[in-house]
Amino acid sequence: MQIREVTLTDAILQTLIDLSADWEAENSCHGYRKNELADIEGNRIFLAEEESEIIGYLFGHLEKSEKRTSFMEAGTPYFEIEELYVRPAFRSRGIGQNLFRFAEDQIMKESEADFLMLSTATKNWKAILHFYLDELDMDFWNARLFKRLK
């Protein structure tokens, strides 16, 4: 397996859109829909590949906090991870963790961001919290909970 950062090409764009369509079909996240060009364009893209086949991806972008929060000052640079996905047949092999760590290392080397941040809408919240908190050493800062009334 190889992990690398890439520039967006038409071929990579189509593969990412196809993988996101697979993710949408899994119905594993609340409200997830497949990506379009506008969702991917302008992001840094990291790929996991095995035998020249893309088996996972992570993409995100640099932001600056607009206002002071309980854990960062206004204007603090952070890297917002928009998506981290691994094809089902390749899960539980450390690929997602390797993608995350590779992106983290690249961002830290460039001293771009003070934080990595992400949101998740997975239906399997216990597994995803274990992944991000226990395996990737992220901190839990808040939760947004919903209850449908009608």
Side-chain angles (χ1 to χ4, degrees), residues 82-101:
E82 292 291 336
E83 291 190 8
L84 170 58
Y85 178 74
V86 175
R87 290 180 45 209
F90 295 91
R91 292 182 186 155
S92 299
R93 293 178 31 192
I95 295 166
Q97 186 174 33
N98 288 334
L99 269 166
F100 184 96
R101 296 280 186 221

Side-chain angles (χ1 to χ4, degrees), residues 112-134:
E112 288 184 19
D114 294 343
F115 295 91
L116 289 176
M117 294 178 59
L118 60 84
S119 297
T120 182
T122 185
K123 293 176 181 178
N124 189 356
W125 59 271
K126 288 180 182 179
I128 207 70
L129 287 178
H130 168 72
F131 176 69
Y132 286 119
L133 298 176
D134 299 331

Side-chain angles (χ1 to χ4, degrees), residues 97-113:
Q97 186 174 33
N98 288 334
L99 269 166
F100 184 96
R101 296 280 186 221
F102 184 87
E104 178 182 28
D105 289 346
Q106 297 306 304
I107 294 158
M108 282 181 12
K109 283 179 189 173
E110 296 160 11
S111 299
E112 288 184 19

Side-chain angles (χ1 to χ4, degrees), residues 9-51:
T9 64
D10 289 341
I12 290 172
L13 173 64
Q14 190 57 57
T15 301
L16 294 179
I17 289 172
D18 292 346
L19 288 172
S20 73
D22 292 344
W23 191 358
E24 179 183 40
E26 286 180 40
N27 196 28
S28 61
C29 293
H30 298 283
Y32 185 81
R33 58 156 181 77
K34 78 174 189 170
N35 290 311
E36 299 173 356
L37 171 63
D39 299 315
I40 301 170
E41 192 173 48
N43 284 291
R44 290 182 67 177
I45 301 166
F46 302 90
L47 301 179
E49 298 171 296
E50 192 165 275
E51 298 178 15

Side-chain angles (χ1 to χ4, degrees), residues 3-5 8 34 36 50 62 67-68 71 75 87 89 94 105 108 113 117-118 124 131 138-140 145 149-150:
I3 297 181
R4 63 188 175 107
E5 185 171 3
L8 188 61
K34 78 174 189 170
E36 299 173 356
E50 192 165 275
L62 190 63
K67 60 184 180 178
R68 185 178 186 278
F71 60 94
R87 290 180 45 209
D105 289 346
M108 282 181 12
M117 294 178 59
L118 60 84
N124 189 356
F131 176 69
M138 293 190 83
D139 291 318
F140 184 87
L145 306 173
L149 297 177
K150 294 184 180 184

